[in-house]
């Protein structure tokens, strides 16, 4: 694999100041656009500020790469600069919260990620060779060339003693804390130059000194132990034999990975071990890179396999996993890796960070890192350690934080190339979780997104794509109630207005939050008014009341309507919009004008419902045109037109809308005037009286067939003027009527006879006038005209009413004149006379029969019994005796009934027992109205006819016996002892 550096800088950069400048700035500003090339001394964002006035569509500078880098870099400064100016870093380890640096002077320094020193202690008398931190990040272990291993709590004061100190006889090259050290395990492993790998266990119950036997040697090598890495129960170390994997829980080695660079001495290039996860170990040793997978086998056995193995053309100073790729810290070339290169002091090349695809083993990117004093450094002086958001590239004089480029860096890179559309799409896709930048979507704030969108909108607007620019504004501009949001929208309103494209932005203007100034909305509507009337109507309907000055916009629409160049379909839409706007500001007079002109549905009903008569007082012609449009019938009859809603409204509202005012409005529209006056006469005849002469002219002009009915229905017109109008138009029937009213019946009759020749009409006219002289004139005129003679005979009924008999017509006919049809006419006269006689006879017979029936009905009604109330003075002895028992009606105290014939009886004497018992009411009820009504109904239903009248009218003993009482009934009534007092008629009944 060939190492290719992406940076434009050469490998000859050895000056520390230049390196500091290249890594000094963190790419936190969108306008900066830099941070892509850690080896560049130039500021890549200085000439490509997205806020500059340069043409965004201009060609990109040639020094901008087309390939986007994969990583970003930040030099760690702060307290670290002062530390490394006096000392050198010999070991580095990182946790999510802090960095730990070991120095050549034996110091252990804890730093935050800004480079600020948090804590420091002197752990060794010689250089720190290795550092390790437990999983909790509470304890730090350091090893040194002085043979000591020191474990110390990060939270302890600088003056506090170490948690654990172990002293060995040889220099300790590496140390690894048990990940659970802070949870009570109290173990670490270390490797020394003597080749021993020692497990130190300081759990409670054991002494803390090496001589006490807490150490156990788990492995011995012929050469020094170079590296240690511990995760879970697995520990890996590197020695001359290769990389060993040891299971601490089972106390046995589980795997051996051979040393990849066998052609070079094992300690020529330090081995770099790093657990990527609990089962993945990355190994970088010389020019070999391996990824080892540890898997669980049968019976809980553990075994390792090499997942990736490659040989490089450089020395790998560190390895890490980056998604599906490997991140390699590269030094030198193939000769360096093979030990053939003789690098002179001060001329050593800078290291590079290379990203290599694991699938295709292809180099994806390469960045040169000209770190401070790199010309003096060898491969073993560099290290690559994982940290919170990425990795730390460490050299003796400088630390650089490396992390995968996030969305913010990606957007900066696109912004530097004015690829605003790609930037905005990637931001939105990342926020939706739809691209590779989703994990870092939070890096880009709403303000940055807005900035990107506004640059894109400006680019589109300048290129003439106003619709696209408006869509972008709607997409990125804030929609909250803040002043900043309102200012942003206002600025774009004026920008679109300057570009004469505000109609495109109008459709996306916010109407809730933020609420712009009324002037902004009115300005937008004014632009839309000139461009798209459909859009204007939609906007006015969608925007709430109070958002803009409705009256101002309506006046602008009226000005636009005054332009004769407006298309007819646009005129309709503009009028509809103006009507809606005037409705909003409660100006019904103006609103109804436009509603009427565009024929809005159900408008008359609305006028009635909302009592808007005052608003249409001067719009009579518009109302009648509205009727014509709704009727949609070109030659509709007058009655139909006058019955339309608007005409009826005007006619019914004569009190509110004076008829004289309506007539003045319609004087130039005579047909509408005719319709109105006809409707007015139909619905409010008295109000139409002053316009009789005008109506005569209008009927004569437009509906002459209705003129005669009008002349007959009213007298509110001038006869002379009406006669002149009719004479002018030769309306003979109307002239006849007028002359008849003027008393000139003879002239009228002559008009009928001479100009119409209508016998029937002449006869009808003579009948209406009831003037014998007219009949005489008609006879004199008809005596030599056979058709008139026959006509008079056929309509002889009218002559009878005027005292002229049909025989006089016959006598007036000259004997020598032949009259065709006279026989038929005479026969008809005789038949009519006979029919008249028969009808009279039959009518008399019907009347007599009706009289008899009514008389019978009266007699029948009078036979019904009714209760009779006796006054106090009616019960004297011998007065008003019952015609059955011949006793006084008031003697027994019983009830009395009478008949319309005048006969009165005790009810017990006339009613059958079962009927009489029904009429007996309790005392309390009998006195009430309901009791009296009930008794009357029983008597009327069940009582017999008057016995006296029935006997007299019947004339027979059998009928009297039927209607009277039997001896048994008299016994029941207690009358047997009074037989001598029974009157003769009752004896007959018995």
């Amino acid at each position: 694999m060939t190492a290719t550096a992406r940076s434009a800088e050469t490998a000859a950069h050895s000056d520390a100041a230049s390196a500091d400048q290249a890594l000094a700035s963190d790419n936190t500003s969108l306008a900066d656009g830099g941070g892509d090339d850690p080896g560049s001394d130039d500021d890549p964002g200085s000439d490509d500020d997205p806020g500059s006035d340069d043409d965004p569509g201009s060609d990109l500078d040639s020094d901008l790469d087309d390939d986007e880098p994969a990583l970003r870099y930040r030099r760690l400064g702060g307290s670290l600069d002062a530390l490394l100016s006096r000392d050198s870093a010999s070991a580095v380890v990182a946790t999510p919260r802090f960095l730990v640096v070991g120095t050549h002077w034996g110091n252990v320094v804890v730093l935050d990620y800004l480079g600020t020193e948090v804590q420091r202690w002197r752990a060794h008398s010689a250089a720190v060779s290795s550092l390790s931190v437990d999983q909790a990040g509470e304890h730090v272990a350091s090893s040194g060339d002085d043979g000591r291993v020191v474990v110390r709590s990060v939270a302890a004061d600088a003056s506090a003693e170490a948690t654990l100190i172990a002293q060995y006889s040889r220099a300790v090259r590496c140390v690894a804390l048990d990940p659970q050290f802070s949870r009570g395990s109290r173990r670490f492993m270390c490797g020394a130059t003597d080749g021993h790998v020692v497990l130190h266990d300081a759990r409670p119950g054991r002494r803390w000194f090496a001589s006490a036997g807490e150490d156990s040697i788990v492995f011995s090598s012929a050469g020094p132990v170079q590296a240690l890495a511990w995760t879970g129960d697995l520990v890996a170390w590197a020695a001359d034999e290769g990389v060993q994997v040891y299971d601490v829980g089972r106390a046995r080695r589980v795997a051996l990975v051979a040393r990849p660079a066998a052609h070079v001495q094992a300690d020529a290039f330090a081995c770099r071990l790093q657990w990527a996860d609990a089962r993945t170990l990355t190994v970088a040793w010389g020019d070999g890179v391996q990824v080892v997978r540890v898997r669980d086998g049968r019976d809980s056995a553990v075994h390792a396999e090499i997942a990736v193995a490659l040989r490089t053309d450089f020395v790998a100073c560190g390895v890490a996993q980056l998604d599906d790729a490997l991140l390699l810290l590269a030094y030198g070339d193939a000769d360096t890796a093979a030990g053939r290169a003789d690098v002179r002091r001060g001329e050593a090349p800078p290291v590079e960070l290379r990203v290599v695809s694991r699938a295709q083993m292809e180099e994806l990117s390469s960045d040169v890192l000209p770190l401070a004093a790199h010309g003096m450094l060898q491969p073993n002086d560099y290290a690559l350690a994982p940290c919170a958001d990425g990795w730390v590239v460490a050299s003796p004089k400088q630390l650089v934080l490396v992390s995968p480029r996030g969305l913010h860096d990606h957007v900066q890179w696109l912004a530097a190339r004015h690829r605003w559309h790609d930037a905005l799409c990637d931001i939105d896709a990342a926020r939706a979780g739809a691209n590779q930048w989703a994990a870092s979507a939070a890096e880009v704030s709403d303000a940055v997104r807005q900035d990107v969108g506004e640059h894109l909108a400006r680019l589109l607007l300048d290129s003439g794509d106003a619709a696209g620019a408006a869509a972008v504004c709607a997409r990125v501009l804030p929609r909250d109630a803040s002043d900043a949001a309102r200012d942003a929208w206002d600025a774009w309103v004026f920008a679109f207005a300057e570009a004469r494209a505000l109609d495109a932005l109008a459709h996306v203007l916010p109407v809730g939050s933020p609420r712009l100034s009324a002037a902004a909305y009115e300005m937008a509507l004014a632009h839309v008014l000139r461009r798209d009337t459909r859009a204007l109507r939609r906007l006015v309907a969608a925007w709430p009341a109070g958002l803009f000055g409705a009256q101002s916009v309506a006046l602008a629409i009226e000005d636009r309507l005054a332009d004769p160049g407006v298309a007819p379909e646009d005129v309709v839409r503009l009028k509809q919009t103006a009507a809606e706007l005037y409705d909003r500001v409660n100006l019904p007079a103006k609103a109804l004008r436009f509603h009427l002109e565009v024929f809005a549905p159900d408008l008359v009903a609305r006028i009635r419902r909302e009592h808007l008569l005052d608003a249409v007082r001067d719009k009579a012609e518009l109302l009648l045109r509205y009727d014509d449009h709704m009727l949609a019938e070109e030659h509709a009859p007058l009655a139909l037109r006058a019955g339309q809603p608007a005409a009826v409204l005007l006619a019914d509202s004569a009190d509110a809308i004076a008829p004289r005012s309506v007539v003045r409005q319609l004087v130039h529209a005579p047909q509408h005037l005719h319709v109105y006056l006809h409707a007015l006469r139909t619905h409010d005849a008295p109000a139409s009286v002053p316009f009789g002469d005008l109506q005569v002219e209008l009927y004569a002009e437009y509906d002459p067939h209705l003129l005669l009915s009008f002349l007959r229905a009213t007298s509110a017109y001038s006869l002379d003027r009406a006669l002149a109008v009719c004479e002018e138009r030769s309306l003979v029937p109307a002239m006849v009527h007028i002359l008849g009213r003027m008393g000139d019946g003879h002239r009228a009759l002559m008009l009928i006879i001479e100009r119409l020749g209508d016998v029937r009409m002449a006869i009808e006219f003579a009948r209406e006038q009831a003037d014998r002289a007219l009949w005489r004139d008609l006879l004199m005129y008809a005596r030599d005209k056979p058709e008139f003679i026959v006509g008079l005979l056929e309509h002889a009924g009218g002559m009878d009413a005027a005292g002229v008999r049909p025989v006089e017509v016959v006598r007036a006919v000259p004997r020598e004149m032949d009259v065709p049809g006279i026989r038929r006419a005479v026969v008809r006269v005789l038949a009519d006379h006979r029919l008249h006689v028969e009808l009279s006879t039959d009518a008399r017979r019907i009347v007599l029969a009706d009289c008899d029936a009514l008389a019978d009905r009266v007699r029948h009604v009078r036979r019904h019994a009714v209760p009779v109330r006796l006054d106090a003075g009616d019960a004297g002895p011998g007065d008003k005796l019952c015609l059955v028992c011949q006793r006084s009606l008031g003697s027994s105290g019983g009830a009395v009934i009478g008949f319309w014939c005048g006969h009165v009886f005790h009810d017990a004497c006339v009613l059958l027992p079962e009927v009489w018992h029904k009429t007996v009411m309790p005392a309390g009820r009998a006195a009430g109205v309901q009791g009296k009504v009930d008794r009357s109904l029983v008597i009327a239903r069940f009582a017999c006819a008057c016995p006296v009248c029935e006997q007299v009218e019947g004339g027979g003993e059998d009928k009297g016996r039927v209607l009277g009482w039997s001896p048994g009934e008299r016994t029941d009534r207690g009358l047997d002892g009074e037989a001598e007092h029974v009157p003769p008629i009752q004896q007959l009944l018995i």
Side-chain angles (χ1 to χ4, degrees):
M1 182 176 64
T2 302
T4 304
R6 188 191 59 84
S7 172
E9 295 295 325
T10 65
H13 283 93
S14 60
D15 184 48
S18 299
D20 289 349
Q21 179 182 1
L23 298 170
S25 74
D26 181 22
N27 40 359
T28 57
S29 171
L30 177 65
D32 181 20
D36 297 338
D37 186 358
S40 173
D41 292 336
D42 297 330
D43 181 7
S46 60
D47 296 330
D48 298 303
D49 185 359
S52 66
D53 294 332
D54 296 337
D55 181 9
S58 62
D59 294 336
L60 301 179
D61 295 338
S62 60
D63 60 345
L64 293 177
D65 284 317
D66 292 331
D67 296 331
E68 181 179 2
L71 303 170
R72 65 177 174 183
Y73 305 86
R74 179 169 67 87
R75 185 179 65 85
L76 199 63
S79 304
L80 186 63
D81 289 339
L83 173 66
L84 298 184
S85 66
R86 300 185 302 272
D87 201 347
S88 299
S90 57
V92 175
V93 69
T95 73
R97 296 186 293 115
F98 54 82
L99 292 169
V100 184
V101 178
T103 71
H104 283 279
W105 287 1
N107 293 316
V108 177
V109 184
V110 180
L111 305 165
D112 63 18
Y113 279 94
L114 296 177
T116 304
E117 183 176 313
V118 177
Q119 194 173 161
R120 176 196 300 211
W121 60 86
R122 180 71 181 271
H124 303 275
S125 58
V128 177
S129 59
S130 177
L131 293 170
S132 179
V133 182
D134 67 346
Q135 186 174 340
E138 297 179 4
H139 289 82
V140 177
S142 61
S143 64
D145 292 343
D146 58 357
R148 285 172 28 120
V149 174
V150 179
V151 181
R152 183 183 178 91
S153 172
V154 177
D157 295 335
S159 59
E161 294 184 359
T163 302
L164 189 152
I165 299 176
Q167 181 67 53
Y168 298 96
S169 59
R170 298 292 181 93
V172 181
R173 297 285 297 272
C174 51
V175 65
L177 270 181
D178 186 342
Q180 301 301 318
F181 186 90
S182 297
R183 300 296 179 263
S185 76
R186 300 292 178 175
R187 296 181 300 180
F188 66 80
M189 295 185 74
C190 61
T193 56
D194 60 2
H196 293 322
V197 176
V198 178
L199 173 61
H200 186 90
D201 191 346
R203 283 176 291 185
R206 299 172 182 263
R207 297 182 60 187
W208 286 8
F209 297 97
S211 59
E214 292 87 357
D215 292 331
S216 59
I217 299 175
V218 298
F219 179 75
S220 294
S221 173
V225 179
Q226 298 191 29
L228 268 170
W230 192 336
T231 180
D233 287 337
L234 299 178
V235 180
W237 63 77
D240 286 356
E241 293 79 6
V243 177
Q244 306 272 355
V245 179
Y246 181 78
D247 188 339
V248 179
R250 295 181 176 84
R252 66 181 182 182
R253 285 177 288 167
V254 297
L256 171 63
V257 180
R259 181 164 61 93
H263 58 283
V264 181
Q265 294 182 2
D267 58 350
F269 303 116
C271 179
R272 315 303 173 109
L273 300 178
Q274 185 67 51
W275 287 101
D277 55 45
R279 287 291 187 269
T280 303
L281 177 68
T282 58
V283 181
W285 202 344
D287 60 352
V289 176
Q290 295 174 323
V291 177
V292 180
R293 303 277 186 175
V294 179
R295 302 184 184 277
D296 295 330
R298 296 179 181 179
D299 301 328
S300 301
V302 177
H303 68 277
E305 61 182 27
I306 299 176
V308 177
L310 67 147
R311 179 65 61 84
T312 68
D313 52 3
F314 52 80
V315 177
C317 303
V319 61
Q321 291 197 102
L322 174 61
D323 297 329
D324 294 331
L326 292 176
L327 180 65
L328 303 176
L329 184 61
Y331 181 94
D333 52 18
D335 290 339
T336 306
R340 297 188 298 270
D342 184 13
V343 179
R344 300 178 59 182
R345 184 175 179 82
E347 297 180 358
V351 292
E352 303 174 18
L353 263 181
R354 302 188 180 187
V355 179
V356 178
S357 168
R358 293 176 55 181
Q360 291 80 23
M361 297 299 176
E362 295 179 354
E363 184 176 292
L364 302 180
S365 68
S366 176
D367 295 332
V368 175
L369 302 181
L371 301 181
H374 66 270
M376 308 293 293
L377 304 180
Q378 297 299 313
N380 292 350
D381 295 326
Y382 293 99
L384 178 65
C387 65
D389 296 324
W391 307 270
V392 179
V393 176
S395 72
K397 291 297 181 180
Q398 194 171 34
L399 270 66
V400 175
L401 297 179
V402 183
S403 61
R405 288 174 61 85
L407 180 60
H408 188 276
D409 306 293
H410 176 63
V411 171
Q412 281 186 322
W413 187 82
L414 293 173
R417 289 147 182 81
H418 305 303
R419 292 169 57 180
W420 306 111
H421 181 268
D422 293 341
L424 182 59
C425 290
D426 287 345
I427 291 172
D428 290 343
R431 292 187 173 188
N435 61 12
Q436 70 271 28
W437 309 106
S440 58
E443 293 180 1
V444 176
S445 64
D446 290 339
V448 172
R449 178 176 179 272
Q450 177 182 342
D451 187 28
V452 171
E454 291 193 59
H455 279 87
L456 175 59
R458 172 55 67 182
L459 176 67
L460 294 173
L461 188 61
D462 291 345
S463 64
D465 186 4
V472 172
C473 288
R475 184 175 170 185
V476 303
L477 293 184
R479 292 182 180 272
D480 54 59
S482 64
D483 292 339
R486 184 169 54 254
D487 293 343
W489 278 101
D490 283 338
W492 278 103
V493 167
F494 286 102
F496 274 81
E498 291 177 0
R500 299 182 180 275
L502 187 53
D503 55 302
L505 185 66
H507 303 283
V508 299
L509 288 179
V511 297
S513 294
R515 176 68 68 90
L516 309 184
S517 63
Y521 295 108
E522 292 173 12
M523 190 188 310
L525 290 176
H527 280 74
V528 177
L529 173 62
R530 296 285 176 180
R531 301 288 184 88
D532 189 351
T533 56
R534 287 190 181 88
L536 175 69
R537 182 160 172 73
R538 287 196 301 268
L539 289 176
V540 169
W543 286 357
L547 196 66
F548 57 91
Q551 189 168 1
S552 300
V553 177
L555 292 174
I557 292 176
E558 291 194 49
D559 293 340
R560 178 64 175 162
L561 288 171
D563 185 356
V566 180
E569 59 273 14
D570 289 337
V571 170
V572 174
R573 297 190 195 101
L574 291 176
K575 288 181 178 180
Q576 290 172 337
T577 306
E580 294 175 3
L581 292 172
Y582 280 127
D583 278 335
R584 287 190 183 185
V585 295
N586 197 24
L587 292 175
K590 291 189 174 182
L592 288 175
R593 168 198 160 193
F594 291 110
H595 280 310
L596 287 169
E597 290 180 355
V598 299
F599 310 113
D602 300 325
L603 189 58
V604 177
R606 176 191 169 189
I607 295 172
R608 289 184 180 275
R609 183 174 61 253
E610 299 179 10
H611 308 289
L612 299 177
L613 291 175
D614 288 342
V616 295
R617 191 186 303 275
D618 58 344
K619 298 175 178 62
E621 186 172 0
L622 287 176
L623 284 169
L624 294 176
R625 286 181 184 174
Y626 180 87
D627 274 351
D628 292 343
H629 178 82
M630 292 301 175
L631 185 59
E633 187 174 339
E634 185 175 358
H635 300 291
L638 177 62
L640 182 59
R641 295 180 65 186
Q644 293 303 299
V648 174
L649 174 70
L650 291 173
D652 287 343
S653 308
D655 294 337
I657 305 176
R660 291 189 180 277
S661 172
V662 178
V663 170
R664 282 195 298 270
Q665 296 176 53
L666 300 177
V667 68
H668 299 296
Q671 289 195 33
H672 286 152
L673 178 60
H674 178 42
V675 172
Y676 166 69
L677 291 177
H678 184 83
L680 183 65
R681 185 171 69 87
T682 303
H683 294 84
D684 191 356
S688 66
V689 169
F691 312 103
D693 292 335
L694 182 57
Q695 284 189 277
V696 170
E697 294 184 10
L698 293 171
Y699 278 114
E701 179 67 25
Y702 297 108
D703 288 287
H705 61 285
L706 298 178
L707 176 59
L708 183 59
S709 61
F710 169 75
L711 295 175
R712 289 174 175 173
T714 181
S715 59
Y717 55 88
S718 170
L719 295 175
D720 293 335
R721 185 171 179 181
L723 182 60
V725 170
C726 295
E727 287 178 343
E728 182 181 353
R729 293 170 175 80
S730 299
L731 302 177
V732 176
M735 294 170 59
V736 170
H737 175 77
I738 295 171
L739 289 172
R741 290 195 55 188
M742 295 174 69
D744 195 352
H746 178 74
R747 182 182 172 190
L749 185 61
M750 291 301 105
L751 283 174
I752 297 173
I753 295 173
E754 294 175 356
R755 298 185 60 176
L756 298 179
D758 190 339
V759 179
R760 177 185 289 274
M761 185 176 179
I763 295 173
E764 290 293 335
F765 178 75
R767 182 188 296 118
E768 289 176 0
Q769 298 298 319
D771 186 353
R772 185 178 179 81
L774 287 179
W775 284 106
R776 296 297 181 188
D777 293 341
L778 186 57
L779 286 174
M780 291 300 295
Y781 180 82
R783 58 186 303 173
D784 57 349
K785 297 178 176 59
E787 65 276 7
F788 269 80
I789 294 173
V790 174
L792 286 173
L793 290 175
E794 289 179 348
H795 300 86
M799 295 187 296
D800 290 339
V804 179
R805 294 178 298 170
V807 67
E808 296 183 22
V809 179
V810 176
R811 290 174 179 173
V813 178
R815 291 181 179 273
E816 66 279 2
M817 187 175 66
D818 184 16
V819 180
I822 192 171
R823 176 184 177 87
R824 183 180 66 254
V826 171
V827 170
R828 181 174 180 179
V829 170
L830 295 176
D832 290 344
H833 178 70
R834 187 183 307 111
L835 179 61
H836 177 69
V837 172
E838 292 177 357
L839 288 175
S840 299
T841 303
D842 291 341
R844 181 176 179 277
R845 186 181 303 112
I846 291 172
V847 169
L848 293 177
D850 289 343
C851 291
D852 292 342
L854 289 174
D856 291 342
R857 185 176 179 183
V858 170
R859 285 194 300 270
H860 178 72
V861 170
R862 287 186 174 183
R863 290 178 180 177
H864 288 178
V866 295
V868 176
R869 183 176 60 87
L870 296 178
D871 295 332
D874 293 339
D879 294 335
K880 298 183 179 178
L881 300 178
C882 173
L883 297 180
V884 175
C885 64
Q886 295 299 308
R887 291 185 294 180
S888 174
L889 294 175
S891 61
S892 63
V896 178
I897 60 174
F899 296 89
W900 291 101
C901 59
H903 299 140
V904 184
F905 308 89
H906 291 118
D907 57 356
C909 296
V910 177
L911 299 177
L912 294 175
E914 58 271 20
V915 177
W916 178 77
H917 287 301
K918 293 179 182 292
T919 63
V920 178
M921 303 288 177
R925 185 180 178 190
V929 176
Q930 187 60 43
K932 295 177 180 179
V933 171
D934 293 344
R935 186 170 181 272
S936 299
L937 293 175
V938 171
I939 292 172
R941 180 177 180 184
F942 297 105
C944 62
C946 175
V948 177
C949 296
E950 285 292 334
Q951 183 177 12
V952 173
E953 292 180 4
E957 182 178 355
D958 294 336
K959 190 172 183 181
R961 187 176 300 278
V962 172
L963 294 176
W965 291 310
S966 65
E969 290 175 332
R970 290 189 56 80
T971 301
D972 293 338
R973 296 172 182 269
L975 299 178
D976 290 341
E978 300 180 4
E980 63 276 9
H981 301 295
V982 177
I985 187 171
Q986 185 60 29
Q987 292 177 3
L988 178 61
L989 288 174
I990 294 173

